[in-house]
Amino acid sequence: MILLDGKATADDIKREIALVVDKIVSEGGKVPHLAAILVGEDGASQTYVGHKEKACAQVGFRSTLLRFPSDISEEFLLAQIDKINNDNEIDGLIVQLPLPPHISEQKVTEAIDPSKDVDGFHPVNVGKMVLGLQSFVSATPWGIIELLKRYDIETSGKNCVIIGRSNIVGRPMANLLSQKSKPGDCTVTMCHSRTKDLREHTLKADIIVAALGVPGFLKGDMVKEGAVVIDVGITRVKADNKSGFRLIGDVLFDEVAPKCSYITPVPGGVGPMTIISLLKNTLIAAEK
Ligand code: NAD
């Protein structure tokens, strides 16, 4: 069993991006600049945005964090997005989700200029991705594709089961892995909360991507020998440590790992790769 080390792979890619930034700077170019909007005080969101800012600093990007209280109006938020859309100094914009319930996430996503939508959530980018055109691909699926690529994992002709059909993970993942590309060319089955006898599907899978947010869902008896298992799930549970919590994946690692050819750990697997794709997309946005 080989552990797919997302942390080490992400560090490699950060070094590659930092070299590109050095070159841009030495040639007198503009440093890529990512803006993030954070609304409210959600603890997990603050942590994620903090990680993104830190990653920007590590590769030499500029980053700007705009924080607003949870009672701002939708209109106010849309006006801030419009300002950033028209700010030539800023290359990429992300709005950390979830937003307070009185603000429409769909409206906010659609308000971001697709050329600055480095999260790849705008319908224009999603549509282009589905058609296999150049686009900003949403962070987690891109990170997984890159991890498969860097470990040279054969995907062509493989049976792949994705568990979860969300717009940010399961659905784009299924699309990317079914495309005529490398990694890709898989025969994809997308399972979800209404799937009957899910185990029947996972037992046939050469590659499983678990993205449902149910800790320890994928058990040893649901996986065939030699499978590649990608664990996207991150559920915070209270723990007696410094941070007060720990992260649990969707895969029951101790049971599943001995059967796998490759598996991602949680933490240190998909998570660090997700942040990298934001950096990569911001670099592309800046180069444009
Ligand atoms: P979501 O809640 O939007 O979607 C979950 C999906 O799982 C749904 O499509 C649902 O149909 C399916 N599902 C739920 N229960 C199921 C069951 N019992 N059997 C089969 N399918 C079931 O979640 P999401 O945003 O796609 O995130 C999924 C998980 O991945 C969460 O734990 C989230 O925190 C994590 N996540 C991690 C990263 C990362 O960087 N590592 C990024 C995004 C999401």
Side-chain angles (χ1 to χ4, degrees):
M1 181 272 292
I2 295 174
L3 209 57
L4 294 169
D5 190 336
K7 166 92 177 60
T9 308
D11 286 345
D12 287 346
I13 303 174
K14 275 185 200 162
R15 279 189 284 275
E16 293 163 17
I17 295 175
L19 287 176
V20 178
V21 176
D22 281 350
K23 188 163 178 285
I24 293 172
V25 172
S26 69
E27 289 170 356
K30 179 184 153 307
V31 168
H33 185 178
L34 175 71
I37 294 181
L38 178 61
V39 182
E41 305 291 329
D42 179 70
S45 292
Q46 294 190 41
T47 307
Y48 297 146
V49 168
H51 287 160
K52 290 168 189 175
E53 281 198 292
K54 190 173 154 206
C56 280
Q58 285 170 338
V59 298
F61 285 3
R62 261 182 85 188
S63 70
T64 299
L65 173 61
L66 296 162
R67 300 187 68 141
F68 301 113
S70 58
D71 61 357
I72 57 164
S73 67
E74 184 179 277
E75 201 185 1
F76 175 83
L77 181 57
L78 293 174
Q80 303 311 307
I81 292 170
D82 191 50
K83 240 192 245 172
I84 296 174
N85 283 342
N86 291 301
D87 184 342
N88 289 335
E89 281 302 307
I90 295 174
D91 304 297
L93 166 63
I94 57 169
V95 178
Q96 185 65 44
L97 302 179
L99 291 168
H102 66 281
I103 300 179
S104 158
E105 290 187 354
Q106 193 57 34
K107 263 195 201 167
V108 165
T109 301
E110 290 187 28
I112 298 173
D113 181 336
S115 69
K116 295 192 177 186
D117 168 42
V118 288
D119 256 338
F121 294 163
H122 192 286
V124 166
N125 282 315
V126 176
K128 285 185 174 175
M129 185 266 302
V130 168
L131 294 172
L133 302 173
Q134 178 105 47
S135 65
F136 293 127
V137 174
S138 71
T140 305
W142 182 89
I144 293 169
I145 291 286
E146 191 63 21
L147 201 54
L148 293 170
K149 198 186 282 177
R150 298 222 171 202
Y151 276 86
D152 205 17
I153 293 174
E154 183 57 79
T155 57
S156 179
K158 302 290 181 189
N159 288 329
C160 176
V161 167
I162 317 277
I163 314 174
R165 58 177 164 188
S166 74
N167 287 341
I168 61 164
V169 188
R171 203 168 290 281
M173 195 69 246
N175 187 276
L176 291 171
L177 283 172
S178 66
Q179 286 190 9
K180 195 173 172 59
S181 58
K182 193 175 175 354
D185 285 328
C186 289
T187 304
V188 176
T189 304
M190 190 160 63
C191 296
H192 46 76
S193 52
R194 298 283 187 273
T195 299
K196 291 204 174 100
D197 201 357
L198 194 138
R199 183 168 169 268
E200 200 178 283
H201 296 285
T202 55
L203 276 177
K204 288 190 203 136
D206 304 304
I207 301 170
I208 301 174
V209 180
L212 65 160
V214 178
F217 176 87
L218 192 76
K219 316 260 184 319
D221 67 356
M222 296 167 80
V223 177
K224 75 172 182 185
E225 287 291 336
V228 175
V229 172
I230 309 291
D231 190 353
V232 182
I234 34 173
T235 303
R236 282 177 163 222
V237 295
K238 275 196 179 154
D240 202 10
N241 58 18
K242 213 171 95 193
S243 62
F245 67 87
R246 67 191 182 97
L247 301 176
I248 311 268
D250 287 346
V251 176
L252 203 55
F253 188 89
D254 291 348
E255 274 187 33
V256 173
K259 299 181 85 174
C260 292
S261 53
Y262 296 89
I263 186 168
T264 58
V266 173
V270 173
M273 293 300 293
T274 295
I275 292 183
I276 286 297
S277 75
L278 261 187
L279 301 178
K280 187 249 344 167
N281 281 345
T282 304
L283 187 61
I284 293 171
E287 282 170 344
K288 277 185 185 159

